[in-house]
Amino acid sequence: MIALLGCVTMSAYAQDYGCATDEHLEQYLNRSPEMQAAFLEQRQEFSQYVATKAASRGEADFIIPVVVHVFYSTCEGNISMSQIEDGIRILDEDFGRTNPDTNLTRAPYDEFAADAGIEFRLAKIDPSGDPTTGVVRVETSQAVNAQNNVKSISNWPSDEYMNIWVVESIYN
């Protein structure tokens, strides 16, 4: 679920419209009542966790290593390291509830809005144990109208890293 949320923040740099996460999540949950029930149960557990954390702000409970997969076919699509770092900063602000636009939280999420005790950092070690910047850059024509196709080109184990994919456009 966290990986889906990451797309929302990073999408502002990669396209002119919002991330398709909400649409894809709705389609996914509508396919299976069991998945929808499991999602709602996880959401309730997260809500309880957030309520507990709201009273005790401090050091992050979880540090999540992030890998950003940048798919580009033009120079403009190959976003800069400073844009990626800014996206991670914004993600940390959002999850730490220190962002300046907390008043813009969408109504369905108001009850969950609090410091989640999570910090995101660009990965320093890749799955092979080698040093990394936490950014994978792939020049490809699939950066345009990418949909979910690029995820099979480059991804790291989701039980060890949060994968964020940045493309030039999701739809044509």
Side-chain angles (χ1 to χ4, degrees):
M1 185 167 85
I2 291 173
L4 294 174
L5 296 174
C7 181
V8 175
T9 302
M10 296 301 290
S11 68
Y13 298 117
Q15 58 223 22
D16 296 331
Y17 51 90
C19 181
T21 298
D22 291 342
E23 177 184 328
H24 284 282
L25 178 61
E26 183 178 347
Q27 290 173 1
Y28 175 75
L29 294 177
N30 285 338
R31 280 187 259 160
S32 166
E34 294 82 16
M35 289 295 182
Q36 189 170 34
F39 175 80
L40 293 173
E41 182 179 331
Q42 283 182 335
R43 187 173 167 175
Q44 179 61 32
E45 289 173 8
F46 185 71
S47 176
Q48 291 169 349
Y49 170 77
V50 168
T52 303
K53 279 299 295 176
S56 62
R57 292 185 178 232
E59 293 288 319
D61 292 331
F62 301 103
I63 296 174
I64 299 176
V66 176
V67 58
V68 178
H69 308 269
V70 179
F71 292 90
Y72 65 97
S73 64
T74 64
C75 290
E76 295 81 24
N78 190 9
I79 64 172
S80 70
M81 190 64 172
S82 64
Q83 287 176 295
I84 293 168
E85 290 167 342
D86 194 47
I88 298 295
R89 178 191 57 79
I90 292 167
L91 190 59
D92 280 333
E93 286 178 358
D94 288 346
F95 275 79
R97 195 68 173 151
T98 60
N99 51 326
D101 60 351
T102 57
N103 62 319
L104 300 178
T105 302
R106 293 178 15 203
Y109 305 106
D110 276 337
E111 67 178 292
F112 304 107
D115 180 354
I118 298 171
E119 184 179 329
F120 300 90
R121 295 185 189 164
L122 287 171
K124 296 186 184 314
I125 305 291
D126 73 9
S128 300
D130 296 322
T132 181
T133 62
V135 178
V136 175
R137 296 180 185 277
V138 179
E139 185 174 4
T140 176
S141 61
Q142 292 186 40
V144 177
N145 192 26
Q147 300 181 31
N148 278 327
N149 301 331
V150 294
K151 292 180 182 178
S152 64
I153 296 172
S154 178
N155 71 49
W156 291 8
S158 61
D159 58 339
E160 298 176 40
Y161 303 91
M162 180 173 128
N163 289 273
I164 297 175
W165 294 270
V166 179
V167 299
E168 292 181 32
S169 68
I170 292 175
Y171 299 114
N172 196 2

